[in-house]
Amino acid sequence: MYESWLERYRTSMDLNRMATFHWDVQQDKLEYDEMMTHLLQLDLPTDNVKNNLLTARLIHPKDRQEFQNHIDKILNMKSMRRDPLQDKNLDFRIYVKGAGFIWMHMSYRIRYEQGYAQEVTGFLQNVDVERQEAVRMQKMVEHDPMTGLFSKTHTAYLVMQELSIPNAVHALLVIDLDNFKSVNDKLGHLIGDAVIVDMALNLKMVFRPTDILGHIGGDEFCVLMKNIPDPEIVIKKCEQLRELLRKTYNYEGGEVTVSSSIGIAISPQHGEDYKILFSHADAALYEVKRRGKDNQIIYSAEFEENKRAEENKAEELTGSNDFQKLLTNPMDYIFQLTFKSQDTSVAVRLLLEIFAKQFKVNRAYVFWHLDGPYWPQPLFDCIVGNWENAEISHDSYVRRQIRKRYKNTELGRFTECGDTEKLPTKAREVFEKRHIRAFLECAIMDDDIFMGCVGFDDCTKAREWTRSEHEVLRAFADIMQRFLFGQIFFERQKKNSGWSV
């Protein structure tokens, strides 16, 4: 019966990769079971244990000091507790023949008499598989699996640590790939993933090993350049990176050019807290995009204010009852707003501003057709951001390309393009120079006579124009044709001639 129980015990210890030991502290003698020899693939010294274990170099160099500290405390520290037993734990790496250094967990109990350690009894367990898995899981949490760079969460943690060090100047960079959506749409997500990996490799080439490189999502990256002596160094690094990232990918039917935009914030000048510094770098990135991409810029307070103001206006307009009325009955809303105004031109400009903010377009405009010129001329426009006005952006070539795409639809006579990068090469290049990424335009018609048009331009991104946007432009075009053109011309004539009512 006893032998059967002992065999089961040994089997259990073997399955759990566990061995037991007993150390007579006063005699400095060690006893252990046969599982210890099996576990370590060697016979441990049984005399002069402390010195033999350490001088044999069995313990990993990085764990040796902590291991020795445990032994020193057992030998030298007097227990002031009434309890004669104390339990301790220690994880360390020990050399195993044929396997190298592997992780062990040691759990032991110290028995005291008159305050001094007499004996130590415990077990040693191979936990190398568990520790390696923990390390792997930790690496997965800390690193982005696609690029090998730090993850979004760990990047924030590391940057916060660096920012807590006083008297240091750092630069936080937020980097975004321009036209990356087109890569995924036209070349596929596998190519898109390869572009992201390539970007990560370029980051490693440009920046120092001590800098913090993070992939924070999609095509957006974050870099903390530590201890920079001069912001000019940051600019040079950004230019070097942009040069590497600017590439053209060919596909059947066209090509996609990828570049990068970089927003920069300097600590402590622009913030000592990660969230604030990141927000400022992101505002600088927003400004780069607004100005036409493929550049870098250092944060200025006006960028944050401009971005916040635009976002707030858009939120206010989106949630307002008035704008819900516009979406529900655009004809009635536009009619009421324009005819309640004492100055029709002011009302039209206000409408264009509302349209631009609500639909998040960069340009809203009204063109009219003079008797002489073949092409309509700009009457009003509203620009959101630092973009060219309608007269410059809609030159004769652009107008010709836009006008030849007009079609009669159930909603009216429209011309539109959700992504000008899909146009033939020459047209695509011209629209890119004019910073028109997408356009939607409704003709102002008097029977079959083209009187002008109202339209939207998106200067930054491709988009699918919604039915609401079509309906609002159609209502606006109808009211311009029926009432506003004549009213505007009358008011201008009266003002120029000095009439009074």
Side-chain angles (χ1 to χ4, degrees):
M1 185 70 177
Y2 172 76
E3 291 180 354
S4 175
W5 179 88
L6 183 60
E7 185 62 32
R8 287 198 297 271
Y9 170 76
R10 288 173 174 170
T11 301
S12 175
M13 297 291 279
D14 188 27
L15 289 173
N16 287 283
R17 297 161 295 169
M18 188 181 298
T20 60
F21 65 89
H22 175 267
W23 178 28
D24 185 327
V25 177
Q26 298 303 315
Q27 299 295 322
D28 200 13
K29 290 184 178 294
L30 180 68
E31 296 178 340
Y32 50 85
D33 61 15
E34 62 185 33
M35 292 302 301
M36 185 69 76
T37 302
H38 176 69
L39 198 64
L40 302 181
Q41 295 296 303
L42 55 77
D43 292 319
L44 291 174
T46 57
D47 296 316
N48 195 15
V49 178
K50 173 192 171 183
N51 292 331
N52 282 335
L53 275 177
L54 293 173
T55 55
R57 302 295 182 184
L58 294 175
I59 310 301
H60 193 284
K62 291 185 178 180
D63 303 328
R64 197 170 294 153
Q65 185 60 52
E66 187 176 4
F67 188 89
Q68 183 167 348
N69 290 342
H70 272 249
I71 293 179
D72 289 342
K73 287 180 180 179
I74 293 172
L75 293 174
N76 303 321
M77 184 176 292
K78 183 177 180 179
S79 174
M80 303 303 293
R81 297 168 51 184
R82 293 183 179 181
D83 187 355
L85 302 176
Q86 288 189 22
D87 294 331
K88 303 287 184 181
N89 293 281
L90 174 66
D91 284 0
F92 62 95
R93 284 160 290 186
I94 192 168
Y95 184 79
V96 175
K97 186 177 180 181
F101 286 101
I102 64 173
W103 281 100
M104 295 288 179
H105 171 73
M106 183 169 65
S107 183
Y108 60 93
R109 172 170 290 178
I110 311 169
R111 185 179 67 82
Y112 291 90
E113 284 185 9
Q114 298 179 350
Y116 292 95
Q118 301 299 312
E119 60 182 359
V120 177
T121 303
F123 67 85
L124 192 69
Q125 185 177 16
N126 182 337
V127 293
D128 195 64
V129 173
E130 293 81 357
R131 285 297 294 256
Q132 294 294 346
E133 179 64 13
V135 170
R136 188 183 72 83
M137 293 300 294
Q138 182 67 22
K139 187 174 181 180
M140 286 181 63
V141 171
E142 294 179 355
H143 291 78
D144 166 53
M146 178 187 293
T147 63
L149 304 182
F150 291 120
S151 65
K152 179 179 181 178
T153 303
H154 200 58
T155 297
Y157 170 74
L158 293 175
V159 173
M160 284 189 288
Q161 282 190 318
E162 289 298 325
L163 295 178
S164 68
I165 301 173
N167 303 320
V169 178
H170 309 300
L172 186 70
L173 282 55
V174 178
I175 308 163
D176 184 83
L177 278 176
D178 305 323
N179 305 325
F180 179 70
K181 184 178 182 300
S182 296
V183 174
N184 280 331
D185 292 346
K186 297 173 181 178
L187 302 175
H189 289 276
L190 287 177
I191 300 298
D193 290 347
V195 171
I196 294 296
V197 172
D198 180 65
M199 181 172 182
L201 294 173
N202 285 318
L203 287 173
K204 292 177 182 178
M205 289 174 56
V206 171
F207 297 100
R208 300 166 296 179
T210 54
D211 293 330
I212 298 171
L213 311 180
H215 182 202
I216 57 178
D219 59 329
E220 195 169 26
F221 293 75
C222 179
V223 174
L224 184 76
M225 294 181 64
K226 301 180 187 178
N227 304 309
I228 55 168
D230 187 344
E232 192 60 34
I233 294 176
V234 181
I235 298 299
K236 290 180 179 179
K237 285 290 185 181
C238 290
E239 290 175 345
Q240 182 183 353
L241 178 65
R242 289 195 303 106
E243 185 66 28
L244 289 172
L245 295 177
R246 194 181 299 111
K247 295 180 180 179
T248 298
Y249 299 90
N250 296 307
Y251 66 97
E252 186 175 351
E255 60 185 25
V256 179
T257 298
V258 174
S259 56
S260 58
S261 299
I262 306 173
I264 307 165
I266 309 295
S267 176
Q269 178 184 350
H270 299 139
E272 300 179 72
D273 174 80
Y274 171 72
K275 288 185 178 179
I276 293 175
L277 199 64
F278 184 91
S279 175
H280 290 169
D282 192 55
L285 172 64
Y286 180 88
E287 185 69 16
V288 174
K289 294 283 190 180
R290 193 174 69 86
R291 296 185 183 186
K293 309 177 188 178
D294 194 11
N295 210 335
Q296 69 279 322
I297 194 167
I298 296 177
Y299 169 78
S300 174
E302 64 186 83
F303 302 161
E304 190 79 29
E305 294 170 3
N306 291 341
K307 182 181 179 183
R308 190 183 301 114
E310 290 187 8
E311 289 174 346
N312 290 341
K313 285 182 180 179
E315 290 175 3
E316 290 172 5
L317 289 169
T318 302
S320 69
N321 291 330
D322 282 346
F323 200 83
Q324 293 306 314
K325 294 177 182 177
L326 169 64
L327 296 180
T328 304
N329 192 338
M331 181 70 76
D332 182 67
Y333 179 88
I334 296 169
F335 184 89
Q336 293 294 329
L337 183 61
T338 53
F339 281 88
K340 284 180 181 179
S341 174
Q342 294 181 353
D343 189 328
T344 307
S345 295
V346 171
V348 170
R349 291 191 178 94
L350 177 59
L351 278 170
L352 291 178
E353 183 176 355
I354 291 174
F355 296 162
K357 301 297 185 184
Q358 171 60 28
F359 295 122
K360 297 181 180 178
V361 295
N362 302 106
R363 188 183 294 111
Y365 55 82
V366 177
F367 279 58
W368 68 312
H369 193 285
L370 292 171
D371 292 336
Y374 178 69
W375 300 112
Q377 302 298 303
L379 186 62
F380 300 103
D381 63 358
C382 172
I383 312 299
V384 178
N386 189 26
W387 305 100
E388 301 91 345
N389 60 35
E391 184 173 7
I392 295 175
S393 59
H394 285 244
D395 61 13
S396 59
Y397 181 87
V398 168
R399 292 303 318 160
R400 187 160 56 250
Q401 291 295 317
I402 290 177
R403 187 164 181 176
K404 75 178 184 179
R405 299 173 68 89
Y406 265 106
K407 295 180 181 178
N408 289 319
T409 72
E410 61 173 340
L411 295 175
R413 186 168 177 77
F414 281 91
T415 176
E416 63 183 292
C417 179
D419 187 358
T420 55
E421 288 191 358
K422 294 181 179 180
L423 298 176
T425 303
K426 182 179 178 181
R428 181 178 73 247
E429 291 174 351
V430 174
F431 276 88
E432 185 177 0
K433 289 179 181 178
R434 296 291 180 266
H435 302 117
I436 302 174
R437 181 64 187 276
F439 62 84
L440 174 66
E441 191 173 288
C442 181
I444 302 172
M445 305 293 295
D446 184 8
D447 292 331
D448 293 328
I449 301 173
F450 182 86
M451 298 180 62
C453 59
V454 294
F456 299 149
D457 287 346
D458 195 317
C459 302
T460 62
K461 62 185 181 300
R463 61 192 293 164
E464 291 185 8
W465 298 105
T466 67
R467 184 180 182 90
S468 293
E469 291 158 348
H470 284 79
E471 289 176 345
V472 167
L473 282 184
R474 169 62 188 274
F476 192 33
D478 284 349
I479 291 178
M480 288 295 300
Q481 183 269 323
R482 296 180 192 179
F483 311 108
L484 298 187
F485 269 157
Q487 182 68 19
I488 290 168
F489 299 152
F490 173 79
E491 290 177 355
R492 288 190 173 185
Q493 187 66 30
K494 182 178 70 174
K495 185 176 181 180
N496 293 335
S497 64
W499 293 354
S500 61
V501 178

